[in-house]
C-alpha cells in the first residue's frame, strides 16, 4: 500500500488562472487577428499596432474577464474530468482506456463551455474594444460590470450568445488538453525512461497543447466572430457560411498566435496543476 496525492476539485481553476495571467497578451492578439474582416495585419504587426495605439498595458485589456472565465469554464471542466476519472479508476490499478478519457473530456468541456459562455463573451468584447471607434466602444470597467451591462442592456439571452459554439469548442479543447495530456503522460511514463517529474509534465502538456490547438481552431474563429458580432450573423450556420466565403484558410486565421497562446497556456496550466497536486493535494492510499 502506497500513499499518493490527488488533485482537489478546484485546482484546475486555480492553475488555469495562473496560466491566463502569463498568456493573456497572446490571447488578446489572437482575438484581434480573428475579428479582422480581411487579413490586414500579422501577429507582430498587430502587437506593434496595439502598443502604439493604446500602450503596453493595453495588452492586458480584459484580464478580469479572462480570470472570470477560467474560474467558470476551466474550473468546471477540470472538476468534472478529474473527479469522475479518479472515482472510476479508484478501484482499479489500470488507467482508463483512451476512449473513456475522450468521452469524459468531451462531456466536461461541453458543460464547462456552457457555464463559461457569459464570461467568455465579456472577455472577447473587452479585448476587442480598443479596435472600435471611440463612439462604438462598450467601455466595460471590469468583468462583473460587463456581465451586468450585457444582461441589463441586451437581455439574459445575449449573455449566452455563441453558447453552442463555445460548448463545442470547450469539448474539443478539453479532449485535446486533458484527455491527450493524460494519455501522453501515461505513454511517456510507460517507457521507463522518464519519471513523474516536471520535464515529463512539460513534454506531455506540450503534446496536449498542439492537439488542442489543431482540434479547436475552426470553432474558435467562429465563436469569436459570433460573440463579437453586432447582429450581422443570424446564427452559427450563417456565421459558418459567411466565414467560408472568405476561403478555407479563414477558419485557421490566427492559427500561429492561437498555438503560441494555447500551447504555453496548456504547459503552464498542467505544470501549475501538478505542483498544486504534489504539494497541496489530498492524500489517498493507492
Amino acid at each position: 500500500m502506497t500513499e499518493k496525492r490527488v488533485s482537489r476539485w478546484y485546482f484546475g481553476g486555480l492553475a488555469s488562472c495562473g496560466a491566463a495571467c502569463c498568456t493573456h497578451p497572446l490571447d488578446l492578439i489572437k482575438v484581434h487577428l480573428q475579428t479582422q474582416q480581411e487579413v490586414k495585419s500579422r501577429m507582430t504587426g498587430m502587437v506593434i499596432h496595439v502598443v502604439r495605439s493604446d500602450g503596453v498595458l493595453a495588452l492586458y485589456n480584459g484580464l478580469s474577464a479572462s480570470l472570470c472565465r477560467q474560474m467558470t469554464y476551466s474550473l468546471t471542466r477540470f472538476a468534472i474530468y478529474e473527479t469522475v476519472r479518479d472515482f472510476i479508476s479508484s478501484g482499479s490499478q489500470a488507467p482508463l482506456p483512451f476512449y473513456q478519457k475522450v468521452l469524459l473530456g468531451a462531456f466536461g468541456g461541453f458543460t464547462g463551455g456552457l457555464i463559461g459562455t457569459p464570461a467568455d463573451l465579456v472577455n472577447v468584447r473587452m479585448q476587442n474594444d480598443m479596435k472600435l471607434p471611440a463612439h462604438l466602444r462598450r467601455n466595460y470597467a471590469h468583468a462583473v460590470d460587463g456581465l451586468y451591462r450585457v444582461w441589463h442592456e441586451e437581455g439574459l439571452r445575449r449573455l449566452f450568445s455563441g453558447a453552442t459554439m463555445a460548448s463545442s469548442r470547450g469539448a474539443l479543447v478539453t479532449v485535446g488538453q486533458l484527455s491527450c495530456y493524460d494519455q501522453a503522460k501515461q505513454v511517456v511514463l510507460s517507457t521507463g525512461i522518464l519519471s513523474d517529474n516536471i520535464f515529463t509534465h512539460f513534454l506531455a502538456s506540450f503534446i496536449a497543447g498542439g492537439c488542442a490547438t489543431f482540434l479547436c481552431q475552426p470553432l474558435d474563429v467562429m465563436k469569436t466572430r459570433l460573440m463579437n458580432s453586432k447582429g450581422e450573423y443570424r446564427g452559427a450556420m450563417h456565421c459558418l457560411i459567411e466565414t467560408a466565403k472568405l476561403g478555407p484558410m479563414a477558419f485557421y486565421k490566427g492559427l500561429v498566435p492561437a498555438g503560441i497562446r494555447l500551447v504555453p497556456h496548456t504547459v503552464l496550466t498542467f505544470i501549475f496543476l501538478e505542483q498544486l497536486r504534489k504539494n497541496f493535494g489530498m492524500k489517498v492510499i493507492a
Side-chain angles (χ1 to χ4, degrees):
M1 303 291 281
T2 58
E3 187 179 82
K4 69 173 184 178
R5 289 182 181 267
V6 296
S7 289
R8 299 180 188 273
W9 65 271
Y10 53 85
F11 279 1
L14 295 178
S16 296
C17 283
C21 288
C22 299
T23 62
H24 186 77
L26 294 170
D27 194 30
L28 181 138
I29 295 302
K30 179 200 72 172
V31 169
H32 278 233
L33 289 169
Q34 289 177 346
T35 52
Q36 292 181 111
Q37 290 303 312
E38 298 176 7
V39 180
K40 297 176 181 177
S41 301
R42 299 295 181 186
M43 185 177 178
T44 306
M46 187 63 78
V47 172
I48 294 170
H49 172 72
V50 170
V51 172
R52 281 180 177 173
S53 300
D54 299 274
V56 175
L57 290 179
L59 292 172
Y60 278 90
N61 273 11
L63 179 61
S64 64
S66 181
L67 295 177
C68 181
R69 175 176 178 263
Q70 297 303 335
M71 290 305 291
T72 50
Y73 160 65
S74 285
L75 187 145
T76 302
R77 66 193 183 110
F78 270 93
I80 291 174
Y81 181 87
E82 298 211 315
T83 302
V84 176
R85 180 202 61 193
D86 292 343
F87 177 77
I88 294 174
S89 60
S90 60
S92 172
Q93 292 296 320
L96 288 182
F98 183 57
Y99 79 91
Q100 290 185 8
K101 295 175 185 175
V102 169
L103 292 174
L104 184 55
F107 175 72
F110 188 88
T111 307
L114 181 63
I115 292 173
T117 297
D120 201 8
L121 180 140
V122 173
N123 182 35
V124 169
R125 287 186 173 188
M126 289 180 73
Q127 289 176 350
N128 199 56
D129 218 28
M130 71 181 76
K131 285 176 62 180
L132 301 173
H135 67 285
L136 292 178
R137 293 184 180 183
R138 298 178 174 99
N139 294 319
Y140 299 148
H142 45 73
V144 177
D145 177 56
L147 290 169
Y148 173 77
R149 282 181 53 191
V150 174
W151 170 70
H152 183 70
E153 297 170 8
E154 303 175 54
L156 182 64
R157 187 174 179 180
R158 184 60 173 170
L159 275 173
F160 288 89
S161 172
T164 303
M165 204 66 61
S167 298
S168 302
R169 179 192 179 273
L172 288 175
V173 79
T174 304
V175 168
Q177 286 184 324
L178 278 69
S179 305
C180 290
Y181 174 78
D182 263 3
Q183 192 67 22
K185 182 181 173 184
Q186 179 186 324
V187 171
V188 170
L189 291 176
S190 68
T191 62
I193 299 172
L194 295 174
S195 60
D196 190 1
N197 55 31
I198 196 167
F199 181 74
T200 299
H201 304 156
F202 171 82
L203 183 60
S205 57
F206 188 88
I207 294 168
C211 293
T213 304
F214 180 77
L215 283 173
C216 73
Q217 185 63 12
L219 278 176
D220 198 21
V221 169
M222 290 178 59
K223 182 207 71 171
T224 301
R225 285 178 173 271
L226 277 171
M227 287 185 169
N228 200 56
S229 72
K230 292 182 176 291
E232 59 263 38
Y233 300 124
R234 295 189 295 272
M237 187 55 66
H238 185 226
C239 180
L240 173 67
I241 293 169
E242 290 300 310
T243 306
K245 288 179 181 178
L246 300 174
M249 291 310 295
F251 290 104
Y252 281 91
K253 187 182 288 186
L255 178 64
V256 173
I260 290 174
R261 179 257 170 188
L262 190 55
V263 173
H265 180 86
T266 304
V267 169
L268 289 169
T269 296
F270 282 108
I271 287 177
F272 291 158
L273 180 65
E274 293 283 8
Q275 292 305 307
L276 285 169
R277 177 185 61 79
K278 181 179 178 181
N279 294 288
F280 304 106
M282 293 182 294
K283 294 179 181 179
V284 297
I285 304 299

